[in-house]
Amino acid sequence: MISEAHRGDWGMDIDHWDWVPGVGVISLMEYATVGGQEKVIEYLLQWVNRNKHKADGVKVINALAPFAIFPELYRQTGDPWFLQKAMSTADWMLNTAPVTREGALEHTVTENVDFPEQVWADTVFMAVLFLARMGGLTGESRLADAALRQTLLHLQLLQDPATGLLYHGWNSREGNHMSAVRWARANAWITLAVPQIVMEVQGVADIPEELHSRYSSLAAALRSCQAGNGLWHTVLNRPDYVQETSGSAGIACGFFKGVKNGLLDSSFLDSARLAVSGILPLIAENGQVQGVSGGTPVMPSEEAYNTIEVYPSLYGQGLVMQLLAQELELEDRQL
C-alpha cells in the first residue's frame, strides 16, 4: 500500500488527498490501533506532512475521508494543528457543504462532474465517520447529533423497505433511486461505518432506536444473500453477477464491528469468518487483493455494474486489512 512504485496509479498511489488514499490511511490507522503498530502511526504522521498542502485544494465530501485519522493522531501527539484543522473541516461540513432538500449531505467529488441533490451511500464512510469521531473526541453534542442525523437520513433515503438492502443512491430532485441498484460496496460503506459511528458518539448523544432497527434489518438482508464461499456479488440480488472483494470485506468487517459494539448478535461472526475464508485465497503473494472493482458512480443500469473494470486499489487493500485486523483482534480476545 505504501510503495513508491505505485506513484501515478489512480488505484494504488497513496500520496493524494481524496477518498481512495483516504480509505487507505483509515485502514492503516485501524491496523495500527488494533495491532499496536507504532511504526504505522509514524508513517501516517509522515503521510500527513507530505500531503496536507493538498487538503485545501478542493473541499468536497468524497475528499474528507483522510480527515478521519486526525482525531486519533491528535490523541497520539497532542499537536493542536490536528484538532484545529479537523474542527475547521467539521464546521465546513455543518455550515457550508451543499445539502439536499431533505438535509442530507450532497455527494460531491474531486472529479469535474456534479451530482446535484444526489445522496450516495459512500458519504457515510467518507465524511460522516469523520464527523462522529470529532464528536467523540471533543464531546460536542452538535457534532455527534449531526453525525447521527446524517447516518439515519442516509438509511431512510437509501434503504429498500422490501428487502432491507441499500440502494447505491437517491436523487432528491427526481424523487427516485436512479437505476435502483443494490450495489455491494455501497452497502459495505454503511455496514462498516455505522458501528463505528455509534461507538464514537455513545455518551455524547442518544442513539435513535430507528438506527438500531434499520441496521439490524440491513445486516440480516446482507447475510441472506451471502454466497456459499463467503463473498457477495457486486449486485447483491444477482447471484449470476461477479463477486466483488472490497464490498465483501467491508460487509464482513462491519459484521465484526457490529457484534463487538452490540448492534448485532454473535451469530453474525459466522458470516464474517466465512467471508475471511473466501477472501484469503484472493490475496496474491505480493499482497495485492484481487477481484476489486474500480471506482463506481451510480451507473445507468443494473447491467452496467457487472462491467466495471477490476484492478488493485487502496480501498480494496484497506478494507481487507481492516477485516483481517478485526479477525485477529477477536482471536486475541478469545485466547
Side-chain angles (χ1 to χ4, degrees):
M1 291 174 67
I2 65 175
S3 171
E4 292 186 4
H6 298 312
R7 188 163 295 167
D9 181 333
W10 179 87
M12 289 294 289
D13 188 346
I14 203 166
D15 280 317
H16 291 288
W17 197 281
D18 205 349
W19 73 275
V20 176
V23 177
V25 296
I26 289 170
S27 303
L28 287 169
M29 179 63 80
E30 174 87 357
Y31 171 57
T33 53
V34 169
Q37 300 288 333
E38 292 184 9
K39 63 182 180 180
V40 181
I41 297 292
E42 292 173 5
Y43 172 81
L44 291 171
L45 289 169
Q46 295 167 7
W47 181 87
V48 171
N49 283 331
R50 286 199 313 271
N51 294 288
K52 62 184 180 182
H53 67 283
K54 305 171 186 175
D56 294 323
V58 182
K59 271 204 168 77
V60 296
I61 287 299
N62 230 19
L64 296 186
F67 286 109
I69 68 173
F70 276 38
E72 184 59 29
L73 289 178
Y74 175 70
R75 291 188 185 97
Q76 294 278 341
T77 66
D79 185 343
W81 181 83
F82 287 108
L83 180 60
Q84 293 162 6
K85 187 66 178 174
M87 283 300 301
S88 66
T89 303
D91 286 336
W92 175 83
M93 282 183 65
L94 294 181
N95 302 317
T96 308
V99 295
T100 68
R101 61 196 65 193
E102 300 95 349
L105 289 164
E106 181 181 294
H107 192 75
T108 50
V109 298
T110 53
E111 292 84 359
N112 187 26
V113 59
D114 294 323
F115 305 103
E117 285 212 77
Q118 288 190 20
V119 179
W120 291 16
D122 313 47
T123 295
V124 177
F125 188 88
M126 304 307 166
V128 181
L129 176 59
F130 156 68
L131 198 60
R133 288 180 173 177
M134 286 302 296
L137 174 70
T138 64
E140 290 196 25
S141 59
R142 69 185 182 100
L143 301 178
D145 288 341
L148 288 172
R149 183 169 62 253
Q150 286 295 328
T151 303
L152 186 55
L153 192 50
H154 277 72
L155 282 167
Q156 291 168 341
L157 293 173
L158 296 173
Q159 194 160 31
D160 174 14
T163 65
L165 299 173
L166 304 177
Y167 295 110
H168 188 176
W170 165 258
N171 189 315
S172 297
R173 284 184 177 178
E174 298 179 7
N176 61 40
H177 293 103
M178 296 171 279
S179 53
V181 175
R182 302 164 187 90
W183 180 47
R185 198 159 66 227
N187 281 258
W189 293 132
I190 289 184
T191 304
L192 180 55
V194 168
Q196 299 179 73
I197 289 167
V198 169
M199 180 190 71
E200 291 288 350
V201 303
Q202 297 185 122
V204 182
D206 294 328
I207 313 299
E209 177 54 38
E210 185 182 351
L211 184 58
H212 285 271
S213 61
R214 284 187 176 274
Y215 188 76
S216 296
S217 174
L218 168 61
L222 287 167
R223 183 165 60 177
S224 72
C225 56
Q226 185 177 20
N229 66 350
L231 274 66
W232 280 267
H233 297 270
T234 192
V235 176
L236 293 166
N237 57 322
R238 292 296 301 264
D240 54 325
Y241 279 20
V242 297
Q243 294 179 335
E244 204 280 320
T245 311
S246 67
S248 298
I251 292 167
C253 189
F255 284 180
F256 274 132
K257 287 181 175 290
V259 172
K260 178 181 175 181
N261 297 338
L263 291 175
L264 301 175
D265 67 66
S266 61
S267 67
F268 282 88
L269 294 178
D270 292 335
S271 292
R273 288 180 173 129
L274 181 61
V276 171
S277 68
I279 288 170
L280 284 175
L282 299 173
I283 304 174
E285 288 187 9
N286 65 358
Q288 288 192 345
V289 176
Q290 311 302 305
V292 175
S293 62
T296 308
V298 177
M299 300 298 285
S301 68
E302 188 173 273
E303 292 73 22
Y305 283 85
N306 203 36
T307 66
I308 298 295
E309 186 180 358
V310 172
Y311 49 78
S313 69
L314 289 166
Y315 52 87
Q317 302 294 128
L319 290 172
V320 170
M321 175 182 281
Q322 291 192 50
L323 173 63
L324 298 181
Q326 287 300 309
E327 165 75 352
L328 291 172
E329 183 186 39
L330 180 64
E331 287 182 5
D332 288 344
R333 290 203 308 267
Q334 294 177 341
L335 289 177

